[in-house]
Amino acid sequence: AITIEGMNKWYGAFHVLRDINLTVNRGERIVICGPSGSGKSTLIRCINALEEHQQGKITVDGTLLSSDLKNIDKIRSEVGMCFQHFNLFPHLTILENCTLAPIWVRKTPKKEAEETAMHFLEKVKIPDQANKYPGQLSGGQQQRVAIARSLCMRPRIMLFDEPTSALDPEMIKEVLDTMIELAEEGMTMLCVTHEMGFARQVANRVIFMDQGQIVEQNEPEEFFNNPKSERTQLFLSQIL
Ligand code: ATP
Ligand code: MG
């Protein structure tokens, strides 16, 4: 589980996250939406310490996230992350991309790391691409490799930051299907996305952020059909 209490973050004088309180329980699937610049990516990045926060507490599975490097390693090993741009290593094959961290960070024997990688490449339905390079794959395939690569580290929580927003429409579905499958297997997920169909189908809670604050959160049915705040109503009227 993730617990965030009274968290505030500034970029210089700019107050980017304001009094964030959020608990993500095991097995929950939470979708975060909100206008551009509302702080969604910053929040996600604070959770695995890609960004520092200045006030408040973030705890991941009981481990307090502090500037202590040891805790950061532990948290990052439990939290997988998948971005808009897949950040695959272009000079490594798909298989090598998936085995790099398990071999060098987890000290997993190469053969075992390769077996695990093939298992997850099968899961995202591209085992036949294992020996190609990222540049030889479509965007949707590359994003599925990025998801498989994260899963190879056996995370207990997956964070997604607009994983489909750089993809052509016909590739969005294949990535969403992968995420839906993960959700159905019980993975704890926190997803920034504007794919509201995905939110309705998969999320147990939808969070709306605006100007660095959590403005509203609710189960999807209620969130979409009966948004409480005017800001949420305005946002939904623009994207639905
Ligand atoms: P989008 O939907 O466009 O991805 P977002 O909700 O993810 O937006 P963030 O990327 O979290 O928004 O940015 C929140 C605010 O913080 C924005 O006003 C942005 O300009 C600012 N910001 C982001 N990163 C930095 C940085 N490294 N230094 C200073 N300001 C930043
Ligand atoms: Mg963002």
Side-chain angles (χ1 to χ4, degrees):
I2 304 169
T3 315
I4 303 174
E5 290 170 277
M7 197 257 275
N8 283 274
K9 174 174 177 59
W10 287 261
Y11 283 122
F14 177 56
H15 197 172
V16 59
L17 293 175
R18 297 163 180 263
D19 193 31
I20 302 289
N21 293 286
L22 175 65
T23 301
V24 184
N25 292 309
R26 179 163 304 174
E28 273 203 290
R29 302 153 316 276
I30 295 181
V31 161
I32 302 177
C33 61
S36 182
S38 56
K40 306 178 299 293
S41 296
T42 305
L43 174 60
I44 289 278
R45 292 167 61 83
C46 282
I47 293 173
N48 67 351
L50 289 173
E51 294 281 355
E52 267 188 294
H53 59 286
Q54 282 81 39
Q55 269 180 17
K57 262 172 47 175
I58 301 179
T59 316
V60 177
D61 276 343
T63 306
L64 181 68
L65 201 161
S66 60
S67 39
D68 185 324
L69 277 176
K70 204 171 167 222
N71 277 359
I72 288 177
D73 282 350
K74 183 160 186 292
I75 284 172
R76 285 200 188 143
S77 75
E78 292 184 13
V79 179
M81 174 127 192
C82 195
F83 302 93
Q84 177 176 9
H85 300 287
F86 339 115
N87 303 319
L88 298 173
F89 295 108
H91 59 291
L92 297 181
T93 65
I94 299 312
L95 188 66
E96 288 164 349
N97 265 279
C98 292
T99 57
L100 190 70
I103 290 173
W104 293 101
V105 180
R106 281 280 166 87
K107 313 292 179 204
T108 308
K110 184 165 180 240
K111 189 160 179 299
E112 188 186 325
E114 287 179 350
E115 282 166 9
T116 304
M118 287 312 297
H119 168 77
F120 285 113
L121 287 172
E122 270 160 37
K123 206 170 139 52
V124 302
K125 304 190 171 61
I126 35 174
D128 46 322
Q129 309 293 327
N131 296 312
K132 289 193 184 168
Y133 289 86
Q136 298 172 296
L137 270 57
S138 75
Q141 290 173 328
Q142 290 188 56
Q143 190 60 292
R144 283 182 286 155
V145 171
I147 294 172
R149 180 176 62 172
S150 290
L151 294 175
C152 286
M153 292 294 276
R154 307 280 186 181
R156 299 164 77 166
I157 299 167
M158 282 290 291
L159 308 177
F160 291 90
D161 190 359
E162 304 207 41
T164 59
S165 61
L167 299 177
D168 292 334
E170 68 269 27
M171 292 168 195
I172 291 176
K173 185 176 179 302
E174 59 191 36
V175 171
L176 290 179
D177 283 346
T178 301
M179 293 169 66
I180 290 168
E181 220 174 281
L182 261 185
E184 284 169 350
E185 287 168 9
M187 178 66 82
T188 307
M189 294 166 68
L190 190 54
C191 314
V192 175
T193 180
H194 291 152
E195 293 293 334
M196 292 301 143
F198 172 80
R200 277 181 191 271
Q201 186 180 347
V202 168
N204 63 295
R205 187 158 32 125
V206 183
I207 290 176
F208 173 67
M209 284 185 72
D210 192 19
Q211 297 180 9
Q213 288 175 308
I214 295 178
V215 173
E216 180 163 353
Q217 49 180 314
N218 220 325
E219 55 184 62
E221 177 81 11
E222 195 59 18
F223 180 87
F224 290 113
N225 296 342
N226 192 16
K228 304 273 179 298
S229 124
E230 250 171 56
R231 283 194 273 175
T232 315
Q233 289 164 9
L234 179 66
F235 176 76
L236 289 176
S237 73
Q238 285 163 347
I239 65 157
L240 289 179

